[in-house]
Amino acid sequence: MTTKDDVVAVRTARGSLREQVYLQLRGDLMSGRIGPGNRLGEERLAELYGVSRTPVREALARLQADGLVERDDNGLFPYRPRLEELADLYEVRITLEMRGILRILQGSGELHAPEVLGPELQRWYGFRGEMPDPDAGFVVLDEQFHTTLLASSGNRALVDALTNVNAKVRPVRMFDYLTPDRMRATVEEHIAVAELVLDGHLQRAHDALLAHIDESRAVVIERAQQALAMARMANAVRD
């Protein structure tokens, strides 16, 4: 005989599976494991994750509402930023990241948490000692620095918003880390910003972080413009 507890357990398991598929698919989209040109077919994804099509369908609907998935005439695909959207997305990114420092400068929050930011700074010291090879995957490490810096300011909602913005610009930003000079500059600038924050020089940290992101914006937009004529970027940027 089915009891009330059995029904609750089944509902909980179903809810948990839906959430697991949603989080796994979102992670694969945001990490770039599913490329921007890959059609998001329910049957293929269900096979990939070892589930039925129902939780996949529900996850895709949620991700479409999140703005990480979009539909065109051929079906559902990972979101790909249009060139004219990049500047707007960077404006949002700058607003979010600057707010992390400004909220403390203006007395809206406590000091940045050293137990959060300190280990991240140590990781970037390690990159300075052993510079990674230029690689598109470096963008994930870059994003982790920025979300950790923002998290250390104490507002989780800002971090969640930044994570979504990062996912939308990632297909193009991956091409920012294909040269040693950009890698070195990023490592040194991250270290400088984190040290200023932890030492309490927040206005200088604010200015350094703004300059760092603004430089990234200029590089990304320039390379996105170049990419419009290059077949290897056809799946990452649309005109």
PDB file of all heavy atoms in Angstrom, residues 166-189:
ATOM      1  N   ASN A 166      28.588  36.737 -17.102  1.00  0.00           N
ATOM      2  CA  ASN A 166      29.797  36.050 -17.574  1.00  0.00           C
ATOM      3  C   ASN A 166      29.463  34.966 -18.590  1.00  0.00           C
ATOM      4  O   ASN A 166      30.162  34.783 -19.584  1.00  0.00           O
ATOM      5  CB  ASN A 166      30.540  35.422 -16.388  1.00  0.00           C
ATOM      6  CG  ASN A 166      31.301  36.440 -15.565  1.00  0.00           C
ATOM      7  OD1 ASN A 166      31.606  37.530 -16.035  1.00  0.00           O
ATOM      8  ND2 ASN A 166      31.614  36.087 -14.337  1.00  0.00           N
ATOM      9  N   ALA A 167      28.391  34.217 -18.313  1.00  0.00           N
ATOM     10  CA  ALA A 167      28.012  33.137 -19.220  1.00  0.00           C
ATOM     11  C   ALA A 167      27.654  33.667 -20.603  1.00  0.00           C
ATOM     12  O   ALA A 167      27.922  33.015 -21.618  1.00  0.00           O
ATOM     13  CB  ALA A 167      26.839  32.356 -18.635  1.00  0.00           C
ATOM     14  N   LYS A 168      27.076  34.839 -20.649  1.00  0.00           N
ATOM     15  CA  LYS A 168      26.637  35.391 -21.928  1.00  0.00           C
ATOM     16  C   LYS A 168      27.791  35.921 -22.775  1.00  0.00           C
ATOM     17  O   LYS A 168      27.710  35.916 -24.001  1.00  0.00           O
ATOM     18  CB  LYS A 168      25.606  36.499 -21.689  1.00  0.00           C
ATOM     19  CG  LYS A 168      24.281  35.972 -21.160  1.00  0.00           C
ATOM     20  CD  LYS A 168      23.247  37.070 -21.011  1.00  0.00           C
ATOM     21  CE  LYS A 168      21.904  36.494 -20.584  1.00  0.00           C
ATOM     22  NZ  LYS A 168      20.862  37.535 -20.489  1.00  0.00           N
ATOM     23  N   VAL A 169      28.861  36.383 -22.135  1.00  0.00           N
ATOM     24  CA  VAL A 169      29.985  36.910 -22.916  1.00  0.00           C
ATOM     25  C   VAL A 169      31.103  35.890 -23.092  1.00  0.00           C
ATOM     26  O   VAL A 169      32.029  36.117 -23.863  1.00  0.00           O
ATOM     27  CB  VAL A 169      30.557  38.206 -22.291  1.00  0.00           C
ATOM     28  CG1 VAL A 169      29.522  39.295 -22.272  1.00  0.00           C
ATOM     29  CG2 VAL A 169      31.109  37.961 -20.894  1.00  0.00           C
ATOM     30  N   ARG A 170      30.986  34.732 -22.409  1.00  0.00           N
ATOM     31  CA  ARG A 170      32.073  33.758 -22.468  1.00  0.00           C
ATOM     32  C   ARG A 170      32.409  33.284 -23.878  1.00  0.00           C
ATOM     33  O   ARG A 170      33.591  33.132 -24.202  1.00  0.00           O
ATOM     34  CB  ARG A 170      31.757  32.551 -21.588  1.00  0.00           C
ATOM     35  CG  ARG A 170      32.904  31.523 -21.574  1.00  0.00           C
ATOM     36  CD  ARG A 170      32.621  30.329 -20.714  1.00  0.00           C
ATOM     37  NE  ARG A 170      32.438  30.728 -19.336  1.00  0.00           N
ATOM     38  CZ  ARG A 170      31.301  30.558 -18.660  1.00  0.00           C
ATOM     39  NH1 ARG A 170      30.276  29.992 -19.243  1.00  0.00           N
ATOM     40  NH2 ARG A 170      31.203  30.948 -17.412  1.00  0.00           N
ATOM     41  N   PRO A 171      31.433  33.020 -24.761  1.00  0.00           N
ATOM     42  CA  PRO A 171      31.804  32.518 -26.088  1.00  0.00           C
ATOM     43  C   PRO A 171      32.785  33.421 -26.826  1.00  0.00           C
ATOM     44  O   PRO A 171      33.614  32.938 -27.593  1.00  0.00           O
ATOM     45  CB  PRO A 171      30.457  32.458 -26.827  1.00  0.00           C
ATOM     46  CG  PRO A 171      29.456  32.247 -25.741  1.00  0.00           C
ATOM     47  CD  PRO A 171      29.968  33.063 -24.586  1.00  0.00           C
ATOM     48  N   VAL A 172      32.712  34.717 -26.596  1.00  0.00           N
ATOM     49  CA  VAL A 172      33.646  35.646 -27.238  1.00  0.00           C
ATOM     50  C   VAL A 172      34.883  35.866 -26.382  1.00  0.00           C
ATOM     51  O   VAL A 172      36.001  35.935 -26.881  1.00  0.00           O
ATOM     52  CB  VAL A 172      32.955  36.997 -27.518  1.00  0.00           C
ATOM     53  CG1 VAL A 172      33.926  37.962 -28.179  1.00  0.00           C
ATOM     54  CG2 VAL A 172      31.737  36.795 -28.416  1.00  0.00           C
ATOM     55  N   ARG A 173      34.717  35.917 -25.055  1.00  0.00           N
ATOM     56  CA  ARG A 173      35.844  36.183 -24.173  1.00  0.00           C
ATOM     57  C   ARG A 173      36.903  35.097 -24.229  1.00  0.00           C
ATOM     58  O   ARG A 173      38.060  35.340 -23.888  1.00  0.00           O
ATOM     59  CB  ARG A 173      35.366  36.339 -22.718  1.00  0.00           C
ATOM     60  CG  ARG A 173      34.667  37.653 -22.440  1.00  0.00           C
ATOM     61  CD  ARG A 173      34.697  37.972 -20.965  1.00  0.00           C
ATOM     62  NE  ARG A 173      36.059  38.147 -20.506  1.00  0.00           N
ATOM     63  CZ  ARG A 173      36.547  37.607 -19.392  1.00  0.00           C
ATOM     64  NH1 ARG A 173      35.814  36.837 -18.637  1.00  0.00           N
ATOM     65  NH2 ARG A 173      37.799  37.834 -19.036  1.00  0.00           N
ATOM     66  N   MET A 174      36.517  33.897 -24.638  1.00  0.00           N
ATOM     67  CA  MET A 174      37.500  32.823 -24.733  1.00  0.00           C
ATOM     68  C   MET A 174      38.657  33.184 -25.661  1.00  0.00           C
ATOM     69  O   MET A 174      39.758  32.660 -25.507  1.00  0.00           O
ATOM     70  CB  MET A 174      36.823  31.535 -25.207  1.00  0.00           C
ATOM     71  CG  MET A 174      35.981  30.865 -24.136  1.00  0.00           C
ATOM     72  SD  MET A 174      35.290  29.296 -24.697  1.00  0.00           S
ATOM     73  CE  MET A 174      34.535  28.722 -23.175  1.00  0.00           C
ATOM     74  N   PHE A 175      38.417  34.074 -26.579  1.00  0.00           N
ATOM     75  CA  PHE A 175      39.466  34.457 -27.525  1.00  0.00           C
ATOM     76  C   PHE A 175      40.327  35.600 -26.997  1.00  0.00           C
ATOM     77  O   PHE A 175      41.176  36.129 -27.706  1.00  0.00           O
ATOM     78  CB  PHE A 175      38.842  34.812 -28.874  1.00  0.00           C
ATOM     79  CG  PHE A 175      38.310  33.608 -29.590  1.00  0.00           C
ATOM     80  CD1 PHE A 175      37.070  33.095 -29.274  1.00  0.00           C
ATOM     81  CD2 PHE A 175      39.066  32.953 -30.537  1.00  0.00           C
ATOM     82  CE1 PHE A 175      36.579  31.960 -29.906  1.00  0.00           C
ATOM     83  CE2 PHE A 175      38.598  31.814 -31.175  1.00  0.00           C
ATOM     84  CZ  PHE A 175      37.349  31.316 -30.854  1.00  0.00           C
ATOM     85  N   ASP A 176      40.113  35.968 -25.727  1.00  0.00           N
ATOM     86  CA  ASP A 176      40.943  37.001 -25.102  1.00  0.00           C
ATOM     87  C   ASP A 176      42.227  36.406 -24.531  1.00  0.00           C
ATOM     88  O   ASP A 176      43.137  37.144 -24.171  1.00  0.00           O
ATOM     89  CB  ASP A 176      40.138  37.674 -23.984  1.00  0.00           C
ATOM     90  CG  ASP A 176      40.840  38.885 -23.392  1.00  0.00           C
ATOM     91  OD1 ASP A 176      41.814  39.357 -24.003  1.00  0.00           O
ATOM     92  OD2 ASP A 176      40.408  39.359 -22.334  1.00  0.00           O
ATOM     93  N   TYR A 177      42.310  35.085 -24.443  1.00  0.00           N
ATOM     94  CA  TYR A 177      43.440  34.456 -23.741  1.00  0.00           C
ATOM     95  C   TYR A 177      44.227  33.524 -24.644  1.00  0.00           C
ATOM     96  O   TYR A 177      44.596  32.431 -24.250  1.00  0.00           O
ATOM     97  CB  TYR A 177      42.935  33.723 -22.502  1.00  0.00           C
ATOM     98  CG  TYR A 177      42.325  34.679 -21.508  1.00  0.00           C
ATOM     99  CD1 TYR A 177      40.962  34.650 -21.245  1.00  0.00           C
ATOM    100  CD2 TYR A 177      43.104  35.639 -20.882  1.00  0.00           C
ATOM    101  CE1 TYR A 177      40.397  35.549 -20.350  1.00  0.00           C
ATOM    102  CE2 TYR A 177      42.550  36.547 -20.000  1.00  0.00           C
ATOM    103  CZ  TYR A 177      41.192  36.494 -19.737  1.00  0.00           C
ATOM    104  OH  TYR A 177      40.636  37.393 -18.862  1.00  0.00           O
ATOM    105  N   LEU A 178      44.484  33.983 -25.847  1.00  0.00           N
ATOM    106  CA  LEU A 178      45.238  33.178 -26.799  1.00  0.00           C
ATOM    107  C   LEU A 178      46.642  33.721 -27.034  1.00  0.00           C
ATOM    108  O   LEU A 178      47.364  33.218 -27.887  1.00  0.00           O
ATOM    109  CB  LEU A 178      44.476  33.088 -28.135  1.00  0.00           C
ATOM    110  CG  LEU A 178      43.078  32.440 -28.041  1.00  0.00           C
ATOM    111  CD1 LEU A 178      42.445  32.356 -29.421  1.00  0.00           C
ATOM    112  CD2 LEU A 178      43.146  31.063 -27.402  1.00  0.00           C
ATOM    113  N   THR A 179      47.052  34.745 -26.272  1.00  0.00           N
ATOM    114  CA  THR A 179      48.389  35.317 -26.411  1.00  0.00           C
ATOM    115  C   THR A 179      49.040  35.437 -25.030  1.00  0.00           C
ATOM    116  O   THR A 179      48.357  35.742 -24.045  1.00  0.00           O
ATOM    117  CB  THR A 179      48.347  36.706 -27.073  1.00  0.00           C
ATOM    118  OG1 THR A 179      47.544  37.594 -26.283  1.00  0.00           O
ATOM    119  CG2 THR A 179      47.756  36.620 -28.485  1.00  0.00           C
ATOM    120  N   PRO A 180      50.341  35.218 -24.932  1.00  0.00           N
ATOM    121  CA  PRO A 180      51.029  35.288 -23.632  1.00  0.00           C
ATOM    122  C   PRO A 180      50.910  36.651 -22.964  1.00  0.00           C
ATOM    123  O   PRO A 180      50.834  36.728 -21.732  1.00  0.00           O
ATOM    124  CB  PRO A 180      52.486  34.969 -23.992  1.00  0.00           C
ATOM    125  CG  PRO A 180      52.403  34.181 -25.256  1.00  0.00           C
ATOM    126  CD  PRO A 180      51.242  34.759 -26.013  1.00  0.00           C
ATOM    127  N   ASP A 181      50.878  37.728 -23.747  1.00  0.00           N
ATOM    128  CA  ASP A 181      50.832  39.057 -23.138  1.00  0.00           C
ATOM    129  C   ASP A 181      49.518  39.289 -22.397  1.00  0.00           C
ATOM    130  O   ASP A 181      49.505  39.872 -21.304  1.00  0.00           O
ATOM    131  CB  ASP A 181      51.052  40.155 -24.186  1.00  0.00           C
ATOM    132  CG  ASP A 181      49.985  40.156 -25.260  1.00  0.00           C
ATOM    133  OD1 ASP A 181      49.605  39.066 -25.719  1.00  0.00           O
ATOM    134  OD2 ASP A 181      49.530  41.250 -25.651  1.00  0.00           O
ATOM    135  N   ARG A 182      48.413  38.795 -22.944  1.00  0.00           N
ATOM    136  CA  ARG A 182      47.135  38.952 -22.264  1.00  0.00           C
ATOM    137  C   ARG A 182      47.080  38.089 -20.998  1.00  0.00           C
ATOM    138  O   ARG A 182      46.504  38.485 -19.987  1.00  0.00           O
ATOM    139  CB  ARG A 182      45.984  38.572 -23.203  1.00  0.00           C
ATOM    140  CG  ARG A 182      45.702  39.606 -24.277  1.00  0.00           C
ATOM    141  CD  ARG A 182      45.227  40.924 -23.689  1.00  0.00           C
ATOM    142  NE  ARG A 182      43.989  40.764 -22.949  1.00  0.00           N
ATOM    143  CZ  ARG A 182      43.655  41.521 -21.901  1.00  0.00           C
ATOM    144  NH1 ARG A 182      44.489  42.456 -21.442  1.00  0.00           N
ATOM    145  NH2 ARG A 182      42.496  41.337 -21.284  1.00  0.00           N
ATOM    146  N   MET A 183      47.700  36.921 -21.060  1.00  0.00           N
ATOM    147  CA  MET A 183      47.741  36.063 -19.882  1.00  0.00           C
ATOM    148  C   MET A 183      48.524  36.740 -18.761  1.00  0.00           C
ATOM    149  O   MET A 183      48.070  36.823 -17.616  1.00  0.00           O
ATOM    150  CB  MET A 183      48.384  34.728 -20.247  1.00  0.00           C
ATOM    151  CG  MET A 183      47.648  33.931 -21.307  1.00  0.00           C
ATOM    152  SD  MET A 183      46.244  33.042 -20.654  1.00  0.00           S
ATOM    153  CE  MET A 183      47.066  31.746 -19.738  1.00  0.00           C
ATOM    154  N   ARG A 184      49.717  37.232 -19.097  1.00  0.00           N
ATOM    155  CA  ARG A 184      50.558  37.883 -18.081  1.00  0.00           C
ATOM    156  C   ARG A 184      49.874  39.107 -17.500  1.00  0.00           C
ATOM    157  O   ARG A 184      49.903  39.335 -16.283  1.00  0.00           O
ATOM    158  CB  ARG A 184      51.913  38.262 -18.692  1.00  0.00           C
ATOM    159  CG  ARG A 184      52.877  37.096 -18.878  1.00  0.00           C
ATOM    160  CD  ARG A 184      54.275  37.596 -19.192  1.00  0.00           C
ATOM    161  NE  ARG A 184      54.286  38.325 -20.465  1.00  0.00           N
ATOM    162  CZ  ARG A 184      54.522  37.767 -21.641  1.00  0.00           C
ATOM    163  NH1 ARG A 184      54.759  36.471 -21.717  1.00  0.00           N
ATOM    164  NH2 ARG A 184      54.515  38.492 -22.749  1.00  0.00           N
ATOM    165  N   ALA A 185      49.274  39.910 -18.365  1.00  0.00           N
ATOM    166  CA  ALA A 185      48.609  41.128 -17.894  1.00  0.00           C
ATOM    167  C   ALA A 185      47.469  40.789 -16.937  1.00  0.00           C
ATOM    168  O   ALA A 185      47.302  41.438 -15.892  1.00  0.00           O
ATOM    169  CB  ALA A 185      48.085  41.933 -19.087  1.00  0.00           C
ATOM    170  N   THR A 186      46.706  39.775 -17.264  1.00  0.00           N
ATOM    171  CA  THR A 186      45.586  39.383 -16.412  1.00  0.00           C
ATOM    172  C   THR A 186      46.063  38.921 -15.045  1.00  0.00           C
ATOM    173  O   THR A 186      45.512  39.317 -14.011  1.00  0.00           O
ATOM    174  CB  THR A 186      44.770  38.270 -17.084  1.00  0.00           C
ATOM    175  OG1 THR A 186      44.209  38.772 -18.301  1.00  0.00           O
ATOM    176  CG2 THR A 186      43.650  37.784 -16.180  1.00  0.00           C
ATOM    177  N   VAL A 187      47.101  38.094 -15.017  1.00  0.00           N
ATOM    178  CA  VAL A 187      47.627  37.597 -13.742  1.00  0.00           C
ATOM    179  C   VAL A 187      48.093  38.764 -12.869  1.00  0.00           C
ATOM    180  O   VAL A 187      47.740  38.851 -11.682  1.00  0.00           O
ATOM    181  CB  VAL A 187      48.776  36.596 -13.985  1.00  0.00           C
ATOM    182  CG1 VAL A 187      49.491  36.274 -12.672  1.00  0.00           C
ATOM    183  CG2 VAL A 187      48.250  35.318 -14.638  1.00  0.00           C
ATOM    184  N   GLU A 188      48.884  39.667 -13.436  1.00  0.00           N
ATOM    185  CA  GLU A 188      49.421  40.775 -12.647  1.00  0.00           C
ATOM    186  C   GLU A 188      48.323  41.721 -12.181  1.00  0.00           C
ATOM    187  O   GLU A 188      48.350  42.219 -11.047  1.00  0.00           O
ATOM    188  CB  GLU A 188      50.470  41.536 -13.462  1.00  0.00           C
ATOM    189  CG  GLU A 188      51.733  40.729 -13.743  1.00  0.00           C
ATOM    190  CD  GLU A 188      52.425  40.251 -12.476  1.00  0.00           C
ATOM    191  OE1 GLU A 188      52.368  40.958 -11.449  1.00  0.00           O
ATOM    192  OE2 GLU A 188      53.026  39.161 -12.508  1.00  0.00           O
ATOM    193  N   GLU A 189      47.351  41.966 -13.028  1.00  0.00           N
ATOM    194  CA  GLU A 189      46.269  42.882 -12.645  1.00  0.00           C
ATOM    195  C   GLU A 189      45.379  42.274 -11.573  1.00  0.00           C
ATOM    196  O   GLU A 189      44.931  42.973 -10.652  1.00  0.00           O
ATOM    197  CB  GLU A 189      45.464  43.268 -13.888  1.00  0.00           C
ATOM    198  CG  GLU A 189      46.242  44.182 -14.824  1.00  0.00           C
ATOM    199  CD  GLU A 189      45.630  44.298 -16.210  1.00  0.00           C
ATOM    200  OE1 GLU A 189      44.459  43.882 -16.381  1.00  0.00           O
ATOM    201  OE2 GLU A 189      46.302  44.809 -17.123  1.00  0.00           O
TER     202      GLU A 189
END
